[in-house]
Structures are given as structure tokens and as C-alpha cells.
């Protein structure tokens, strides 16, 4: 038998959501409830004619679209096959055996997996009321801490902390610790997410974004981030060259240029989300305030959550069980169209 290196052999495969059957509506992966910008879809289709050629390894036009939209230097922008790829590269370049990657209690699961791949220890700082606590993070920092990972707004909590708290975190963290701010749901946040971009100028902070959520391009696999020049240089060494396909690059660039479409999606998603959350609370369920395209639903017990999950599955509705996060009394629901959310509510009413 051919054996892998021990730390990979000891890893479990990364647990993606159960995808359900053909007739199942997935509310498990936080994909957009709405299609991407028509401009993005048209550009992507047109680009299929160019698939004989490798993509632009510098994502030149995509970076231009991002830089112009967000008022940042294109040299500081890197693109990945999803922001997951950029997270993996950060780990490979900046953490290794003996190092600690510090996340929070309800951290994005992939960060723990990416830490294990490089033999770094992943530590979770406690959260308070399903919300990241800067004081708790700071209390967990020690001399082995190399990277602090904060997802804001958070997944799977959906809650957000104010930018001034992120600023305080950066100011109080030692300068030699890399701070990674994952803004996968930044477009849904109430506090202007771009306001943390100037932290990148301190040369020890990166900000990550994705086209998978608000832009509705999860299937295209495009993420981006803002990196200090030196860090960008190191990340490029471990990034797969030609990582973002020809069609994905042009679709993402067109999506970025259609801010009006993205903003409509965000507003409509938030309206459906807030009505759904209010209805859940009226049924006696607890729902942390969400600034994302999903809500975390807390039931009276793990048994109640399990019963609800089974009833939903029987009705072709797949939510994300949260046992893997130590929240077996919770289910996470991606916000889909109004009729789908009405179906979810009806099934839940029947089980409670
Ligand atoms: C969805 C998500 C990502 C990004 O995923 P990609 O599709 O790889 O861009 C990153 N972080 C969090 C917290 C997410 O929920």
C-alpha cells in the first residue's frame, strides 16, 4: 500500500454540504438566490469560444474591474479559484508545523482544514452570543500565533462586528501576526466593508472577497483579495498559475462592473431574509441577527433540530445541519426565493 505523508493520512476529507437528490432545493451552501448579472452570463458564454487558450495568469481585466470599482491599486489584488484557494495559499506561505492559526469558535470550516493541511494547529477563540469577540481573540494570542482569521460577517453565525472592532483588533495584535479578514459576505454587511481596506497598507493584513455569494457566481469559482505587496509576492509562488478559467475571468469582470445588479440582489435577499427571520422568531425559534444571505436557526434542542431537518428533507428542502460546529441544536438556511422560504416555514410550523 502506498501511504500518504502522516498528517494528510490523518485528515478527514473536507466536508461539503450534502447536495440532496434531483428534486431537492439546496439551502445548504449559501449560493445566491438570484442569477448573476446578465452581462456576466453573456460574457461567460461568449468566452467559451476562447477555451483553446490558457487564461490570463495576471487576471488583468478582472483586476482592473475590481480595482476601479473598489478604488484600490490593481497590483495589490490577487484572484483565486474561489477565495478558498487564496485561504489555502495563505496557510501554505505563512503557517506550518508548530504554528498556531487562530480563528473563532464558529470559524469557516475550510480554515481549520487548510490549517491541518500545513500541520498548523487551529485554535478557536470563544464567541459571545454567536458573535466574534475581539477581546477573546486577543486573549488567545500567544508566541506561536502566526495568523488570525476573522470572518466578518461570520459564517455560520451570520452576525457581524463593526469595522472599528476590526481596526482595534489590528491595532492591538502584534505587528508580526498576519490578520486575514474574510469578507465573503461583505456585500451584505451594514458597515461599509471597504472601510477596512486601508489596513492592508500596514503590510500585515489581507482582506478576502468572493464572487460566489452576492455576485451569484459560485459555479465559476472566483475569489479575490487585497494583499500587501510583499505578501502578494509570496502568495503568487504557491498559487496555481492559470488558476481562474477564461470564462470565469470575463464573467467575474462583467459582474463586478454591474454593481447595480449586485446591489439589487443584496437588497432583495435581505428583505426575504428579514421577513423569514421574523417569522421564525414568531414561531419561538431563536435566530441571531444576520448580515449575510443565510440565517442560523436555533431550536429548543438537538432532537428538535434533527426532527425539523428530517421533515424538511422529506419535503425536498435541504438545510445545513450544524453538528460539525458543535451546534447540533441549529440548522443553517441559505436565503432562497420567497416561495422556497414559505415552504420552509410551512414545514417548520408542522414540526414544532
Ligand atoms: C463561501 C465562503 C467563502 C468563499 O468561497 P469561494 O467560493 O471559494 O470563494 C469564503 N469564506 C466563507 C466564510 C464563505 O462562507
Amino acid at each position: 500500500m502506498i501511504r500518504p505523508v502522516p498528517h494528510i493520512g490523518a485528515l478527514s476529507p473536507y466536508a461539503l454540504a450534502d447536495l440532496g437528490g434531483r428534486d431537492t432545493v439546496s439551502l445548504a451552501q449559501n449560493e445566491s438566490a438570484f442569477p448573476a448579472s446578465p452581462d456576466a452570463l453573456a460574457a461567460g458564454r461568449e468566452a467559451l469560444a476562447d477555451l483553446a487558450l490558457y487564461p490570463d495568469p495576471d487576471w488583468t481585466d478582472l483586476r482592473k474591474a475590481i480595482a476601479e470599482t473598489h478604488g484600490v491599486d490593481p497590483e495589490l489584488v490577487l484572484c483565486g479559484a474561489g477565495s478558498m484557494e487564496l485561504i489555502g495559499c495563505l496557510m501554505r506561505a505563512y503557517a506550518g508545523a508548530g504554528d498556531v492559526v487562530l480563528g473563532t469558535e464558529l470559524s469557516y470550516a475550510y480554515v481549520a482544514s487548510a490549517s491541518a493541511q500545513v500541520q498548523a494547529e487551529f485554535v478557536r477563540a470563544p464567541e459571545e452570543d454567536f458573535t466574534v469577540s475581539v477581546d477573546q481573540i486577543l486573549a488567545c494570542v500567544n508566541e506561536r500565533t502566526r495568523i488570525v482569521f476573522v470572518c466578518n460577517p461570520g459564517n455560520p453565525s451570520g452576525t457581524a462586528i463593526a469595522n472599528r472592532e476590526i481596526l482595534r483588533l489590528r491595532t492591538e495584535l502584534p505587528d508580526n501576526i498576519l490578520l486575514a479578514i474574510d469578507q465573503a459576505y461583505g456585500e451584505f454587511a451594514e458597515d461599509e466593508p471597504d472601510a477596512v481596506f486601508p489596513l492592508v497598507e500596514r503590510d500585515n493584513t489581507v482582506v478576502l472577497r468572493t464572487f460566489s455569494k452576492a455576485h451569484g457566481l459560485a459555479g465559476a469559482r472566483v475569489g479575490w483579495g487585497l494583499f500587501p505587496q510583499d505578501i502578494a509576492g509570496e502568495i503568487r509562488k504557491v498559487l496555481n498559475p492559470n488558476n481562474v478559467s477564461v470564462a470565469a475571468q470575463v464573467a467575474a469582470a462583467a459582474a463586478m462592473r454591474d454593481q447595480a445588479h449586485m446591489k439589487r440582489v443584496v437588497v432583495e435577499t435581505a428583505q426575504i431574509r428579514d421577513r423569514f427571520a421574523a417569522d421564525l422568531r414568531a414561531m419561538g425559534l431563536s435566530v441571531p441577527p444576520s448580515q449575510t444571505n443565510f440565517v442560523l436557526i436555533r431550536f429548543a434542542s438537538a432532537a428538535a433540530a434533527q426532527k425539523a431537518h428530517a421533515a424538511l428533507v422529506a419535503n425536498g428542502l435541504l438545510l445545513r445541519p450544524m453538528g460539525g460546529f458543535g451546534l447540533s441544536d441549529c440548522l443553517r438556511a441559505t436565503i432562497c426565493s420567497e416561495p422556497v422560504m414559505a415552504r420552509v416555514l410551512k414545514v417548520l410550523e408542522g414540526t414544532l
Side-chain angles (χ1 to χ4, degrees), residues 30 81-85 87 108 151 155 182 184-185 209-213 218 221-223:
N30 299 342
S83 57
M84 289 174 102
E85 186 186 27
I87 292 170
Y108 179 41
C151 187
N155 176 13
D182 182 351
Y185 302 94
R209 291 280 183 94
T210 182
F211 284 89
S212 297
K213 309 288 161 53
R221 309 304 304 125
V222 195

Side-chain angles (χ1 to χ4, degrees), residues 271-287 295 297 338 341-346 348-349 352:
Q271 282 168 354
I272 299 172
R273 176 196 68 208
D274 292 345
R275 279 196 292 270
F276 179 65
D279 288 342
L280 292 171
R281 291 186 188 114
M283 288 163 61
L285 296 166
S286 125
V287 182
V295 291
I297 310 170
E338 194 84 70
M341 301 326 282
R343 281 174 59 193
V344 173
L345 285 170
K346 192 148 171 263
L348 289 179
E349 262 163 13
L352 293 173

Side-chain angles (χ1 to χ4, degrees), residues 93-162:
Y94 289 95
D99 294 333
V100 165
V101 174
L102 178 57
T104 64
E105 194 175 339
L106 300 176
S107 284
Y108 179 41
Y110 186 69
V111 178
S113 173
S115 304
Q117 287 174 28
V118 301
Q119 294 179 273
E121 185 188 347
F122 185 66
V123 172
R124 298 168 187 274
E127 296 193 17
E128 290 165 0
D129 265 343
F130 295 99
T131 307
V132 166
S133 157
V134 165
D135 289 329
Q136 295 281 8
I137 294 172
L138 291 168
C140 290
V141 169
N142 64 29
E143 65 289 342
R144 288 201 294 133
T145 310
R146 294 273 302 181
I147 307 179
V148 169
F149 234 97
V150 176
C151 187
N152 193 46
N155 176 13
S157 65
T159 61
I161 59 172

Side-chain angles (χ1 to χ4, degrees), residues 22-61:
R22 272 172 55 91
D23 298 327
T24 304
V25 181
S26 170
L27 298 85
Q29 296 212 94
N30 299 342
E31 292 139 326
S32 177
F34 300 94
S37 154
D39 296 351
L41 299 178
R45 260 192 304 271
E46 205 172 308
L48 297 181
D50 301 326
L51 291 191
L53 304 178
Y54 279 111
D56 176 354
D58 285 318
W59 329 279
T60 309
D61 187 58

